[in-house]
Amino acid sequence: MVNVDLSPEVAEAHALPRDVVERATGQAASEARAADVTGKALTPFLLARVNELTGGDSLAGNVALVRDNARLAAQIAVAYAAVSITGA
């Protein structure tokens, strides 16, 4: 069995500066702790709050990453199908 890392990065056009991401996620995490947000409610809270704190830029980056992941998955599926059909 071969393991391959297929995790694309956020496209440069949608990437946020590290300090912006760290500041927003740190603040959102602090607010979640202060509001005692835990369990299944934590991820939606954090995503929404980081989106607000970045003026929507984090959402744009996440959407771009999902699209890139879907594109990569489609390319892998096509290549796998071609190998499966030809037996190569």
Side-chain angles (χ1 to χ4, degrees):
M1 176 180 261
V2 175
N3 293 315
V4 179
D5 180 5
L6 299 172
S7 49
E9 295 182 8
V10 174
E12 188 68 32
H14 296 287
L16 297 175
R18 179 182 292 268
D19 64 314
V20 170
V21 173
E22 289 178 353
R23 188 170 38 254
T25 55
Q27 182 176 337
S30 293
E31 292 175 10
R33 281 190 295 277
D36 198 30
V37 179
T38 59
K40 291 191 282 185
L42 183 58
T43 298
F45 177 89
L46 292 174
L47 288 172
R49 193 64 188 116
V50 169
N51 183 49
E52 292 170 5
L53 293 168
T54 62
D57 291 343
S58 65
L59 178 60
N62 283 334
V63 169
L65 185 58
V66 167
R67 286 185 180 142
D68 289 346
N69 284 340
R71 187 176 302 109
L72 177 60
Q75 291 169 344
I76 292 168
V78 168
Y80 182 77
V83 170
S84 296
I85 291 169
T86 62

